[in-house]
Amino acid sequence: MSSSPSATIQDLVARQFGPQAEAYVASAVHAQGEDLEALARLLEGHGAARLIDLGCGGGHVSFTAAPHVKEVVAYDLSAEMLAAVAGQAARRGLGNIATAQGVAERLPFEDGSFDIVASRYSAHHWADAAAGVREARRMLKPGGLCVFMDVVAAEDALLDTFLQTVEMLRDPSHVRDYAARQWRAFAHGAGFTVESETPRRLRLEYGPWITRIGTRPVHAAAIRSLQEGAPQEVKRHFEIEADGTFTLDTLTLVLKAV
């Protein structure tokens, strides 16, 4: 991927993910997981709800939610990603999924437009995550639910630096993985109460991880060099395997609009 010197982070995200849209729809690591299973359970009994999948990517939150709610809006910056999601929704017979394009920090919906907001593996690409969380709150009806699922950074500086570095090498549109305390601050600042926090671990196979996003060979080599030369604390925490496969921390936050 090439970019001009004046490219914004939104330009980088669109250019990075647009060509990989079908790969993300087909991605096994994105299509499954305990967090999606928990989301499906949470949505039981919300058959009249309108839900927005904020930064929908390959659409797996939308596909999970659609059987449980009245309407889903799959919202993303990438037109190619939205087209792939719409195509997959049609193939699955999910007629209650609509698509809309834009950025998370400025949403083209009126206050209180949704009953539920859900977002998975998207916020670490947002130019201003706090603003995105505030927009999520603005769109929710009083008492509405918001579910964020994302990779989280460790409080330890060494672990945090390693994580952010390999993320950026893999994908130049990466902004930041936030620590759990930062997520709580975003939530409280936006007017949410934290209903629950569920930490998990996510194992990522190195080959598919870099292939899915089209990582440049020079950057892939740099990631492997960093992994091989990492101190024991880093290798132990991320469970770095011989082929580069490793394990990340994730967090699901269920928030309530107050």
Side-chain angles (χ1 to χ4, degrees), residues 32-47 49 51 60-61 63-69 116 118 145 147 149 196-200 252 254:
Q32 59 193 11
E34 293 179 4
D35 54 351
L36 287 179
E37 294 170 7
L39 177 65
R41 292 192 297 270
L42 181 68
L43 295 178
E44 291 176 0
H46 290 274
L51 178 148
H60 300 293
V61 165
F63 305 147
T64 297
H68 301 283
V69 300
I116 303 168
L145 292 177
V147 184
M149 297 157 275
S196 66
E197 297 181 31
T198 306
R200 295 184 174 91
T252 296
V254 178

Side-chain angles (χ1 to χ4, degrees), residues 27-209:
S27 168
V29 74
H30 288 82
Q32 59 193 11
E34 293 179 4
D35 54 351
L36 287 179
E37 294 170 7
L39 177 65
R41 292 192 297 270
L42 181 68
L43 295 178
E44 291 176 0
H46 290 274
R50 187 182 191 214
L51 178 148
I52 183 169
D53 179 3
L54 195 52
C56 66
H60 300 293
V61 165
S62 295
F63 305 147
T64 297
H68 301 283
V69 300
K70 182 177 181 180
E71 180 186 357
V72 174
V73 175
Y75 183 86
D76 203 86
L77 182 61
S78 167
E80 294 94 337
M81 198 71 80
L82 291 172
V85 170
Q88 183 64 212
R91 286 189 287 275
R92 295 185 184 206
L94 299 173
N96 62 337
I97 296 178
T99 61
Q101 185 178 8
V103 299
E105 298 90 344
R106 296 185 304 279
L107 296 166
F109 305 99
E110 295 181 359
D111 295 3
S113 295
F114 294 92
D115 303 285
I116 303 168
V117 174
S119 182
R120 183 175 185 246
Y121 301 144
S122 176
H124 58 269
H125 294 288
W126 298 353
D128 187 342
V133 177
R134 290 194 299 270
E135 279 288 88
R137 171 61 189 89
R138 180 185 67 76
M139 289 193 307
L140 275 175
K141 297 174 182 177
L145 292 177
C146 184
V147 184
F148 280 103
M149 297 157 275
D150 210 345
V151 176
V152 289
E155 294 288 351
D156 180 86
L158 174 64
L159 300 178
D160 177 59
T161 298
F162 181 85
L163 174 63
Q164 309 299 343
T165 302
V166 298
E167 286 266 52
M168 180 67 75
L169 285 168
R170 179 210 179 223
D171 172 11
S173 73
H174 174 76
V175 175
R176 181 161 190 83
D177 295 317
Y178 298 95
R181 64 174 173 78
Q182 293 173 296
W183 273 108
R184 293 184 207 108
F186 295 156
H188 293 145
F192 285 111
T193 59
V194 178
E195 296 286 287
S196 66
E197 297 181 31
T198 306
R200 295 184 174 91
R201 298 275 285 172
L202 177 66
R203 182 175 178 269
L204 292 170
E205 294 185 18
Y206 177 77
W209 181 63

